[in-house]
Amino acid sequence: MGDPAALANTDSIHDGTEDADPPHVLNRRHFLTVKSHFRRKRHEALLVLAVEDPGRPVNLMNDTLLHVVIACNKTDLAKSIILLMPVETLAAKNLYGDTALHVAAAVGNSEVAKELFRRSEDLIGEQNLKQETPLHKAAFYGHHDMFWCLVDEGNGSPYERREDGATMLHCAIMGNEPGLALEIAERFPLLITSRNTMAVTPLQLMVTVPGLFRSQMVLGCFESILYDCKCCQPLPSTPQAPRPPPCFSIAFTTFPTNDYLNLAIVRRPNLRSRGVLFLIIGFFGFIIWFYAMRYAVYPRTRHLEKIKRTHRKALELIEFLARDPRNMEFYVLGRKQGDGGAPAAGFRERGERQDQRNAPTASTRRWNEPPLILGAQMGIPEFVSTILRVCPEAATYLDTRGRSVLQVAIEHGNREIVRTIREMTRGKNPILPSWLLSRVDKRTGRTILHFASANAPEHNQDALQMQDELRWFETVRDMVPKELVYSRNAQEMTAEEMFTESHQALLKSCKVQLMETGRMCSGLVAAVVFASSFSVPGDKDPATGNPVYFGRAAFTVFSHTYVFGLSCAATSLVLFLSLAMSPYKEQQFRRIIPIKYFFARSSFGLAMLSFLVAFTCNIYLQLYGWQKTKSKDLIPFILELTAFPFICFLVLFFYGSKFGLSFLFHSWR
C-alpha cells in the first residue's frame, strides 16, 4: 500500500478535476474515539486530543479535529481549541484544501472566524484546491454576517477569483442568495461587469439559476395557494422571533375557555341537547384541526416565505445590475454579427483590466449573447420584463444571429414574454420601438410572423396542440403591420405557407391522438351503459306494479341520475364516433374539432359521474331499503364510500398534484 503520510498529503489530491488517488488509510480507532466523545459530549477529552496532535486526520476527508468541531457548531469548544493550538497548525487543510476558516465560513460561524483570524490574519487569504478563499464560501452559502465580517474585520479582498474565474458576486448568485449578491454589487460595482473564464457576467449567470424565479419553479396546488396567499408575505431581512403561522394566526382568547363552558353547563341544564353537543364537538374538532394545520402547514409556509423573499430579491438584483444602459453596451461590445456568432474580440476598456484573461475561446457559446436575449431563450418572463422596465435600451441590441429579443421569444415560443413586449410597444408614445414588430431579417427575409410559423416542440404536443398553434399564429399576425402579413421570405413563401408546411406532422399526430381517445372512451361508455341497463333496485309491488322502493328519495335520485347519465353517455358516444370520422383539416382545428372534443369529454365525464351516483343509490337501497335509515347505518356507509378517495385527494393535494376541471375543460382554451 504506500506510506500513510504520503497518502494524507492533500497537495496531490484534486477535487475531481484530475485523476488522483485519494487516501485509503483510516485510523478507525481514533475515528471511533472522536465520535464517542462527541456523542457523550466529552469536550474535555476532545480538547486533550486536539492539544496532543492538532493536525492529525480524523476521517477519510483528512479533516482535523478542529474542522470537525467547527462543522458540528461547537463554538465554545472550537474557540478553546484555537487558543491552545500552535499558530502554524491553524492552516491545516483537508482533502479539498479547506482550512478551518473555510469550514467556519461555510457554516456561518462568525465567532469562530473572528477567533481564527485574530490569531492568524493570513488565513483570510488561504485558498483551497478550487482557489476559493473563505470569502467565496461565505458568499456561496449566503452567510451575510460572516461575509461582511471577513470583509471588514478580516480585510478580505472581494476581488479574489476562483479557479473558474468566479468572483464573490458570481458565487452569491450560484448559491441562490440574491440578497447578499445585491449588497455585494452595491458596495463593489466593478464586479457587475466581471466575467469568469467562460466570459459569463453575473446578470447572464442569473438565467441559469431556476430557484431565483417563480416561473421556473413547479409548485403543487396547495403550495401555489400558500405562495399566492397575501398573508404569506416574504420574510424580513433581519431575523425575528418565531411568530404564529401567517395563514392561521387565530388568537385562542377569542374562544371560550373550559371553565366558562363548565359554568355555562351548570347554569343551563338544557345544554345536553343535541345542538349544543354538536357545537362542543365542533369546537374541539376545530382546535384539533388548527393544531394539525399548524404543524403540517406552518413549516411549508415558512419555506415558501423564504422562496418568495428570494424571488423578490432576485428582481431587485436584476434592476440594479441592468439599471445602467452602459452595462448593456458592455455585454454586446466586442463581437460581431454572423451565422453562428463571432468570437468575442475584446471587452470594454473598464472590463479589460480584470477580464482580458477570461475571454471566451469558442465562437458558438451562448454567453456571447446579451442577458436579455438569454432570458428570452430560457423563457424567464420576470427576468425579461424587469430588464425592459429599467433599461428599455436593451431591446435595441441584436444577438449574434441578428435577431431581436421579440424574434427570439417568438421563435422559442415564450408567449408571456411576447405579450409583455407587445404591451410595451403599444400607445402613441410606446417605451419600446415599433420596429421590433416590423423588423425583417435582411438575410432570410423573415418577419416575426415567419418566426411564429415554426413547429411546436415535440415534448409539448397533445391532442389539441394544433388549435393552440393556430391561436398563437393569429396572435402574432395581429401584431404585425398589415403590409407585412403576406410578406415573403427568401424562399418566396408567406408565413401561412410556412405554417402549413411545418405543421403537417403535428396535424397527423393530433388526428391519431383524438382517434385513439375516441376509441377508448367509446368502448368504455358502451360497456358501462349496456352492463348496467337493467340494474333497477328492488322487485315490483304486486298491487301497484311499481318498484317496491318507489317514492323513496334514494330511488328518485337513482332514476333521474341514471336517465341523465344514459343521455350523456349516448351523446358522448356519438361525438367520439364523429371525431373518428372527421376529415381533420388544418382550419377545422380552430373551431369545430375542439368544440366536438369539448362536448365529448364533458358528456363523458358527466355520464361517469351520474352513473356513480346512480350505482351508489342502488347499493344503498339494496342494503338499507327495507328498513328505516338510522345514523349508525349511514355513517359506516358514507365512510366506506368516501374515505379512501378523500385520503388520496388529500395526499395528492398536499404533495404537489394539480387539480381542477382540466378533464372536462382542457379543450376549451
Side-chain angles (χ1 to χ4, degrees), residues 19-69:
D19 293 333
D21 194 22
H24 306 296
V25 176
L26 173 66
N27 190 331
R28 187 172 180 82
R29 183 176 181 180
H30 181 61
F31 172 79
L32 294 177
T33 300
V34 173
K35 185 176 180 180
S36 175
H37 290 338
F38 267 107
R39 186 174 62 252
R40 299 180 182 180
K41 298 181 180 181
R42 296 177 177 175
H43 294 176
E44 295 79 6
L46 291 172
L47 197 61
V48 172
L49 291 176
V51 173
E52 290 178 353
D53 192 357
R56 186 178 184 180
V58 174
N59 49 36
L60 288 173
M61 282 297 298
N62 281 349
D63 289 317
T64 65
L65 184 59
L66 183 58
H67 286 85
V68 177
V69 170

Short mmCIF file of all heavy atoms in Angstrom, two decimals, residues 19-69:
data_model
loop_
_atom_site.label_atom_id
_atom_site.label_comp_id
_atom_site.label_asym_id
_atom_site.label_seq_id
_atom_site.Cartn_x
_atom_site.Cartn_y
_atom_site.Cartn_z
N ASP A 19 -7.19 13.06 -12.38
CA ASP A 19 -7.15 11.71 -11.84
C ASP A 19 -6.12 11.65 -10.73
O ASP A 19 -4.92 11.82 -10.95
CB ASP A 19 -6.80 10.71 -12.95
CG ASP A 19 -7.89 10.62 -14.00
OD1 ASP A 19 -9.05 10.88 -13.64
OD2 ASP A 19 -7.58 10.31 -15.16
N ALA A 20 -6.56 11.43 -9.53
CA ALA A 20 -5.68 11.36 -8.37
C ALA A 20 -6.20 10.31 -7.43
O ALA A 20 -7.40 10.06 -7.35
CB ALA A 20 -5.59 12.71 -7.67
N ASP A 21 -5.28 9.70 -6.72
CA ASP A 21 -5.64 8.63 -5.82
C ASP A 21 -5.94 9.20 -4.45
O ASP A 21 -5.07 9.78 -3.81
CB ASP A 21 -4.49 7.63 -5.73
CG ASP A 21 -4.92 6.33 -5.08
OD1 ASP A 21 -6.14 6.07 -5.10
OD2 ASP A 21 -4.06 5.61 -4.57
N PRO A 22 -7.18 9.12 -3.98
CA PRO A 22 -7.50 9.66 -2.65
C PRO A 22 -6.89 8.79 -1.57
O PRO A 22 -6.49 7.64 -1.81
CB PRO A 22 -9.03 9.62 -2.62
CG PRO A 22 -9.39 8.51 -3.54
CD PRO A 22 -8.36 8.51 -4.63
N PRO A 23 -6.82 9.28 -0.35
CA PRO A 23 -6.25 8.47 0.74
C PRO A 23 -7.14 7.28 1.08
O PRO A 23 -8.36 7.38 1.08
CB PRO A 23 -6.17 9.47 1.91
CG PRO A 23 -7.18 10.51 1.60
CD PRO A 23 -7.21 10.63 0.12
N HIS A 24 -6.50 6.16 1.36
CA HIS A 24 -7.22 4.93 1.68
C HIS A 24 -6.99 4.48 3.12
O HIS A 24 -7.51 3.45 3.53
CB HIS A 24 -6.78 3.80 0.74
CG HIS A 24 -6.91 4.14 -0.71
ND1 HIS A 24 -8.10 4.40 -1.33
CD2 HIS A 24 -5.96 4.28 -1.67
CE1 HIS A 24 -7.91 4.67 -2.61
NE2 HIS A 24 -6.61 4.61 -2.84
N VAL A 25 -6.21 5.23 3.86
CA VAL A 25 -5.85 4.81 5.21
C VAL A 25 -6.70 5.59 6.22
O VAL A 25 -6.78 6.82 6.17
CB VAL A 25 -4.35 5.08 5.48
CG1 VAL A 25 -4.01 4.73 6.93
CG2 VAL A 25 -3.51 4.25 4.52
N LEU A 26 -7.36 4.87 7.12
CA LEU A 26 -8.18 5.47 8.16
C LEU A 26 -7.84 4.82 9.49
O LEU A 26 -7.87 3.59 9.62
CB LEU A 26 -9.68 5.29 7.87
CG LEU A 26 -10.64 5.73 8.97
CD1 LEU A 26 -10.57 7.24 9.17
CD2 LEU A 26 -12.06 5.28 8.67
N ASN A 27 -7.47 5.65 10.46
CA ASN A 27 -7.25 5.17 11.82
C ASN A 27 -8.61 5.00 12.47
O ASN A 27 -9.16 5.94 13.06
CB ASN A 27 -6.37 6.15 12.60
CG ASN A 27 -5.92 5.58 13.94
OD1 ASN A 27 -6.61 4.74 14.54
ND2 ASN A 27 -4.77 6.02 14.41
N ARG A 28 -9.18 3.82 12.35
CA ARG A 28 -10.54 3.59 12.79
C ARG A 28 -10.69 3.79 14.29
O ARG A 28 -11.72 4.30 14.76
CB ARG A 28 -10.97 2.17 12.39
CG ARG A 28 -12.44 1.89 12.67
CD ARG A 28 -12.86 0.56 12.09
NE ARG A 28 -14.27 0.28 12.35
CZ ARG A 28 -15.27 0.75 11.63
NH1 ARG A 28 -15.01 1.54 10.61
NH2 ARG A 28 -16.52 0.46 11.94
N ARG A 29 -9.68 3.43 15.02
CA ARG A 29 -9.76 3.57 16.48
C ARG A 29 -9.86 5.05 16.88
O ARG A 29 -10.68 5.42 17.72
CB ARG A 29 -8.53 2.93 17.12
CG ARG A 29 -8.55 2.97 18.65
CD ARG A 29 -7.36 2.22 19.21
NE ARG A 29 -7.39 2.22 20.66
CZ ARG A 29 -6.46 1.64 21.42
NH1 ARG A 29 -5.44 1.00 20.84
NH2 ARG A 29 -6.55 1.70 22.72
N HIS A 30 -9.05 5.86 16.23
CA HIS A 30 -9.09 7.29 16.53
C HIS A 30 -10.42 7.89 16.08
O HIS A 30 -11.01 8.74 16.78
CB HIS A 30 -7.93 7.99 15.82
CG HIS A 30 -7.86 9.47 16.07
ND1 HIS A 30 -7.70 10.02 17.31
CD2 HIS A 30 -7.97 10.52 15.21
CE1 HIS A 30 -7.68 11.34 17.23
NE2 HIS A 30 -7.85 11.67 15.95
N PHE A 31 -10.93 7.45 14.94
CA PHE A 31 -12.21 7.95 14.43
C PHE A 31 -13.35 7.62 15.40
O PHE A 31 -14.17 8.47 15.72
CB PHE A 31 -12.47 7.34 13.05
CG PHE A 31 -13.85 7.63 12.51
CD1 PHE A 31 -14.14 8.85 11.93
CD2 PHE A 31 -14.86 6.68 12.58
CE1 PHE A 31 -15.41 9.12 11.45
CE2 PHE A 31 -16.12 6.94 12.10
CZ PHE A 31 -16.40 8.17 11.52
N LEU A 32 -13.39 6.37 15.88
CA LEU A 32 -14.45 5.97 16.80
C LEU A 32 -14.32 6.66 18.14
O LEU A 32 -15.32 6.96 18.80
CB LEU A 32 -14.44 4.45 16.97
CG LEU A 32 -14.80 3.64 15.72
CD1 LEU A 32 -14.68 2.15 16.01
CD2 LEU A 32 -16.21 3.97 15.26
N THR A 33 -13.08 6.92 18.56
CA THR A 33 -12.88 7.63 19.83
C THR A 33 -13.44 9.04 19.76
O THR A 33 -14.15 9.49 20.66
CB THR A 33 -11.38 7.68 20.16
OG1 THR A 33 -10.88 6.33 20.27
CG2 THR A 33 -11.14 8.42 21.47
N VAL A 34 -13.12 9.73 18.66
CA VAL A 34 -13.64 11.09 18.49
C VAL A 34 -15.17 11.07 18.40
O VAL A 34 -15.86 11.91 19.00
CB VAL A 34 -13.03 11.73 17.24
CG1 VAL A 34 -13.69 13.07 16.94
CG2 VAL A 34 -11.52 11.91 17.42
N LYS A 35 -15.71 10.11 17.68
CA LYS A 35 -17.16 10.01 17.54
C LYS A 35 -17.83 9.75 18.88
O LYS A 35 -18.89 10.33 19.19
CB LYS A 35 -17.50 8.90 16.55
CG LYS A 35 -18.97 8.78 16.22
CD LYS A 35 -19.21 7.71 15.17
CE LYS A 35 -20.69 7.60 14.84
NZ LYS A 35 -20.93 6.55 13.80
N SER A 36 -17.22 8.90 19.69
CA SER A 36 -17.78 8.59 21.01
C SER A 36 -17.75 9.82 21.91
O SER A 36 -18.70 10.11 22.64
CB SER A 36 -17.01 7.45 21.65
OG SER A 36 -17.44 7.20 22.96
N HIS A 37 -16.66 10.58 21.87
CA HIS A 37 -16.57 11.78 22.68
C HIS A 37 -17.63 12.80 22.27
O HIS A 37 -18.20 13.49 23.13
CB HIS A 37 -15.17 12.39 22.56
CG HIS A 37 -14.10 11.57 23.21
ND1 HIS A 37 -14.37 10.66 24.21
CD2 HIS A 37 -12.74 11.54 23.04
CE1 HIS A 37 -13.25 10.09 24.61
NE2 HIS A 37 -12.24 10.61 23.91
N PHE A 38 -17.88 12.92 20.98
CA PHE A 38 -18.92 13.85 20.51
C PHE A 38 -20.30 13.40 20.99
O PHE A 38 -21.11 14.22 21.44
CB PHE A 38 -18.90 13.94 18.98
CG PHE A 38 -18.05 15.06 18.46
CD1 PHE A 38 -16.84 14.79 17.85
CD2 PHE A 38 -18.46 16.37 18.57
CE1 PHE A 38 -16.04 15.81 17.37
CE2 PHE A 38 -17.67 17.41 18.09
CZ PHE A 38 -16.46 17.12 17.49
N ARG A 39 -20.57 12.10 20.89
CA ARG A 39 -21.87 11.60 21.27
C ARG A 39 -22.12 11.77 22.75
O ARG A 39 -23.25 12.08 23.18
CB ARG A 39 -22.01 10.13 20.86
CG ARG A 39 -23.40 9.56 21.09
CD ARG A 39 -23.54 8.16 20.55
NE ARG A 39 -22.65 7.22 21.20
CZ ARG A 39 -21.58 6.68 20.63
NH1 ARG A 39 -21.26 6.99 19.40
NH2 ARG A 39 -20.81 5.83 21.29
N ARG A 40 -21.10 11.58 23.55
CA ARG A 40 -21.24 11.69 25.00
C ARG A 40 -20.91 13.08 25.54
O ARG A 40 -20.88 13.28 26.76
CB ARG A 40 -20.35 10.65 25.68
CG ARG A 40 -20.71 9.22 25.30
CD ARG A 40 -19.81 8.21 25.98
NE ARG A 40 -20.14 6.85 25.57
CZ ARG A 40 -19.51 5.77 26.01
NH1 ARG A 40 -18.51 5.89 26.89
NH2 ARG A 40 -19.86 4.56 25.59
N LYS A 41 -20.62 14.02 24.64
CA LYS A 41 -20.34 15.41 24.99
C LYS A 41 -19.16 15.52 25.95
O LYS A 41 -19.17 16.31 26.91
CB LYS A 41 -21.58 16.08 25.59
CG LYS A 41 -22.76 16.13 24.64
CD LYS A 41 -23.96 16.83 25.28
CE LYS A 41 -25.13 16.86 24.30
NZ LYS A 41 -26.31 17.55 24.89
N ARG A 42 -18.12 14.77 25.68
CA ARG A 42 -16.89 14.84 26.48
C ARG A 42 -15.96 15.87 25.86
O ARG A 42 -15.00 15.55 25.17
CB ARG A 42 -16.23 13.47 26.55
CG ARG A 42 -17.05 12.41 27.26
CD ARG A 42 -16.35 11.07 27.21
NE ARG A 42 -17.09 10.05 27.95
CZ ARG A 42 -16.73 8.75 27.98
NH1 ARG A 42 -15.64 8.35 27.32
NH2 ARG A 42 -17.45 7.89 28.67
N HIS A 43 -16.24 17.12 26.10
CA HIS A 43 -15.47 18.19 25.49
C HIS A 43 -14.05 18.26 26.04
O HIS A 43 -13.12 18.64 25.32
CB HIS A 43 -16.19 19.52 25.70
CG HIS A 43 -17.49 19.61 24.97
ND1 HIS A 43 -18.35 20.68 25.08
CD2 HIS A 43 -18.09 18.74 24.10
CE1 HIS A 43 -19.42 20.47 24.32
NE2 HIS A 43 -19.29 19.30 23.73
N GLU A 44 -13.87 17.91 27.31
CA GLU A 44 -12.51 17.93 27.88
C GLU A 44 -11.63 16.91 27.18
O GLU A 44 -10.46 17.19 26.89
CB GLU A 44 -12.56 17.66 29.38
CG GLU A 44 -13.28 18.72 30.20
CD GLU A 44 -14.79 18.57 30.14
OE1 GLU A 44 -15.26 17.58 29.54
OE2 GLU A 44 -15.50 19.44 30.68
N ALA A 45 -12.18 15.73 26.91
CA ALA A 45 -11.38 14.70 26.23
C ALA A 45 -11.04 15.14 24.80
O ALA A 45 -9.93 14.89 24.31
CB ALA A 45 -12.16 13.39 26.21
N LEU A 46 -11.99 15.79 24.12
CA LEU A 46 -11.71 16.28 22.78
C LEU A 46 -10.64 17.36 22.81
O LEU A 46 -9.79 17.44 21.91
CB LEU A 46 -12.99 16.83 22.15
CG LEU A 46 -14.07 15.81 21.80
CD1 LEU A 46 -15.36 16.52 21.38
CD2 LEU A 46 -13.61 14.88 20.69
N LEU A 47 -10.67 18.18 23.84
CA LEU A 47 -9.66 19.22 23.98
C LEU A 47 -8.27 18.62 24.17
O LEU A 47 -7.28 19.11 23.61
CB LEU A 47 -10.03 20.13 25.15
CG LEU A 47 -9.33 21.48 25.24
CD1 LEU A 47 -9.65 22.31 24.01
CD2 LEU A 47 -9.76 22.21 26.50
N VAL A 48 -8.20 17.53 24.92
CA VAL A 48 -6.92 16.85 25.13
C VAL A 48 -6.40 16.28 23.82
O VAL A 48 -5.21 16.40 23.49
CB VAL A 48 -7.08 15.75 26.19
CG1 VAL A 48 -5.81 14.91 26.27
CG2 VAL A 48 -7.40 16.37 27.54
N LEU A 49 -7.29 15.66 23.03
CA LEU A 49 -6.87 15.12 21.74
C LEU A 49 -6.37 16.21 20.80
O LEU A 49 -5.41 16.01 20.06
CB LEU A 49 -8.04 14.38 21.09
CG LEU A 49 -8.49 13.07 21.74
CD1 LEU A 49 -9.71 12.51 21.01
CD2 LEU A 49 -7.36 12.04 21.70
N ALA A 50 -7.02 17.37 20.82
CA ALA A 50 -6.60 18.46 19.95
C ALA A 50 -5.24 19.01 20.35
O ALA A 50 -4.44 19.39 19.49
CB ALA A 50 -7.65 19.57 19.98
N VAL A 51 -4.96 19.04 21.63
CA VAL A 51 -3.67 19.56 22.10
C VAL A 51 -2.55 18.57 21.80
O VAL A 51 -1.44 18.96 21.44
CB VAL A 51 -3.75 19.87 23.61
CG1 VAL A 51 -2.37 20.25 24.15
CG2 VAL A 51 -4.74 20.99 23.86
N GLU A 52 -2.82 17.27 21.93
CA GLU A 52 -1.79 16.26 21.71
C GLU A 52 -1.30 16.27 20.27
O GLU A 52 -0.10 16.26 20.01
CB GLU A 52 -2.34 14.88 22.07
CG GLU A 52 -2.56 14.67 23.56
CD GLU A 52 -3.15 13.30 23.85
OE1 GLU A 52 -3.50 12.60 22.87
OE2 GLU A 52 -3.27 12.94 25.04
N ASP A 53 -2.23 16.27 19.29
CA ASP A 53 -1.83 16.24 17.88
C ASP A 53 -2.87 17.03 17.08
O ASP A 53 -3.82 16.47 16.54
CB ASP A 53 -1.74 14.80 17.37
CG ASP A 53 -1.07 14.71 16.01
OD1 ASP A 53 -0.73 15.78 15.45
OD2 ASP A 53 -0.89 13.58 15.51
N PRO A 54 -2.73 18.36 16.97
CA PRO A 54 -3.78 19.18 16.33
C PRO A 54 -3.94 18.92 14.84
O PRO A 54 -5.00 19.17 14.29
CB PRO A 54 -3.31 20.61 16.61
CG PRO A 54 -1.84 20.50 16.85
CD PRO A 54 -1.62 19.17 17.50
N GLY A 55 -2.93 18.44 14.15
CA GLY A 55 -3.03 18.22 12.71
C GLY A 55 -3.36 16.80 12.33
O GLY A 55 -3.29 16.46 11.14
N ARG A 56 -3.72 15.96 13.27
CA ARG A 56 -3.99 14.55 12.99
C ARG A 56 -5.32 14.38 12.26
O ARG A 56 -6.35 14.88 12.71
CB ARG A 56 -4.01 13.77 14.29
CG ARG A 56 -4.14 12.26 14.12
CD ARG A 56 -4.10 11.59 15.47
NE ARG A 56 -4.13 10.14 15.35
CZ ARG A 56 -4.11 9.30 16.39
NH1 ARG A 56 -4.06 9.79 17.63
NH2 ARG A 56 -4.13 8.00 16.20
N PRO A 57 -5.35 13.67 11.12
CA PRO A 57 -6.62 13.46 10.41
C PRO A 57 -7.57 12.60 11.22
O PRO A 57 -7.18 11.65 11.89
CB PRO A 57 -6.20 12.75 9.12
CG PRO A 57 -4.73 13.03 8.97
CD PRO A 57 -4.20 13.13 10.37
N VAL A 58 -8.85 12.94 11.14
CA VAL A 58 -9.88 12.21 11.87
C VAL A 58 -10.62 11.24 10.97
O VAL A 58 -10.99 10.14 11.39
CB VAL A 58 -10.88 13.20 12.52
CG1 VAL A 58 -12.04 12.46 13.18
CG2 VAL A 58 -10.16 14.06 13.54
N ASN A 59 -10.85 11.61 9.71
CA ASN A 59 -11.65 10.79 8.79
C ASN A 59 -10.95 10.70 7.44
O ASN A 59 -9.83 11.20 7.26
CB ASN A 59 -13.06 11.37 8.64
CG ASN A 59 -13.03 12.86 8.35
OD1 ASN A 59 -12.16 13.34 7.64
ND2 ASN A 59 -13.99 13.59 8.89
N LEU A 60 -11.62 10.08 6.49
CA LEU A 60 -11.05 9.91 5.16
C LEU A 60 -11.01 11.20 4.35
O LEU A 60 -10.43 11.23 3.27
CB LEU A 60 -11.83 8.84 4.38
CG LEU A 60 -11.62 7.40 4.84
CD1 LEU A 60 -12.58 6.46 4.12
CD2 LEU A 60 -10.17 6.98 4.59
N MET A 61 -11.66 12.25 4.83
CA MET A 61 -11.55 13.55 4.20
C MET A 61 -10.35 14.34 4.71
O MET A 61 -10.13 15.48 4.32
CB MET A 61 -12.83 14.36 4.46
CG MET A 61 -14.00 13.97 3.59
SD MET A 61 -13.67 14.27 1.84
CE MET A 61 -13.44 16.03 1.84
N ASN A 62 -9.57 13.70 5.58
CA ASN A 62 -8.39 14.33 6.18
C ASN A 62 -8.75 15.57 7.00
O ASN A 62 -7.95 16.50 7.13
CB ASN A 62 -7.35 14.69 5.12
CG ASN A 62 -6.53 13.49 4.69
OD1 ASN A 62 -6.59 12.43 5.31
ND2 ASN A 62 -5.77 13.64 3.62
N ASP A 63 -9.97 15.59 7.52
CA ASP A 63 -10.36 16.69 8.41
C ASP A 63 -9.64 16.53 9.74
O ASP A 63 -9.59 15.43 10.31
CB ASP A 63 -11.87 16.68 8.65
CG ASP A 63 -12.65 17.09 7.42
OD1 ASP A 63 -12.24 18.05 6.76
OD2 ASP A 63 -13.67 16.43 7.11
N THR A 64 -9.12 17.64 10.24
CA THR A 64 -8.56 17.62 11.59
C THR A 64 -9.71 17.73 12.59
O THR A 64 -10.87 17.96 12.23
CB THR A 64 -7.58 18.78 11.78
OG1 THR A 64 -8.29 20.02 11.69
CG2 THR A 64 -6.48 18.74 10.71
N LEU A 65 -9.35 17.59 13.86
CA LEU A 65 -10.38 17.68 14.89
C LEU A 65 -11.02 19.07 14.91
O LEU A 65 -12.22 19.21 15.16
CB LEU A 65 -9.77 17.36 16.26
CG LEU A 65 -10.75 17.32 17.44
CD1 LEU A 65 -11.84 16.28 17.20
CD2 LEU A 65 -10.01 17.03 18.75
N LEU A 66 -10.25 20.09 14.60
CA LEU A 66 -10.79 21.45 14.57
C LEU A 66 -11.81 21.59 13.44
O LEU A 66 -12.85 22.25 13.62
CB LEU A 66 -9.66 22.46 14.39
CG LEU A 66 -10.07 23.94 14.40
CD1 LEU A 66 -10.79 24.29 15.69
CD2 LEU A 66 -8.86 24.84 14.20
N HIS A 67 -11.53 21.00 12.28
CA HIS A 67 -12.51 21.01 11.19
C HIS A 67 -13.84 20.40 11.65
O HIS A 67 -14.92 20.96 11.40
CB HIS A 67 -11.98 20.21 9.99
CG HIS A 67 -10.90 20.91 9.21
ND1 HIS A 67 -9.59 20.84 9.57
CD2 HIS A 67 -10.95 21.66 8.08
CE1 HIS A 67 -8.86 21.52 8.70
NE2 HIS A 67 -9.66 22.03 7.79
N VAL A 68 -13.75 19.26 12.31
CA VAL A 68 -14.95 18.53 12.72
C VAL A 68 -15.72 19.31 13.78
O VAL A 68 -16.96 19.41 13.75
CB VAL A 68 -14.59 17.12 13.22
CG1 VAL A 68 -15.83 16.39 13.70
CG2 VAL A 68 -13.90 16.33 12.12
N VAL A 69 -15.02 19.89 14.72
CA VAL A 69 -15.67 20.64 15.80
C VAL A 69 -16.41 21.85 15.23
O VAL A 69 -17.55 22.15 15.62
CB VAL A 69 -14.63 21.07 16.86
CG1 VAL A 69 -15.25 22.05 17.85
CG2 VAL A 69 -14.10 19.85 17.60
#
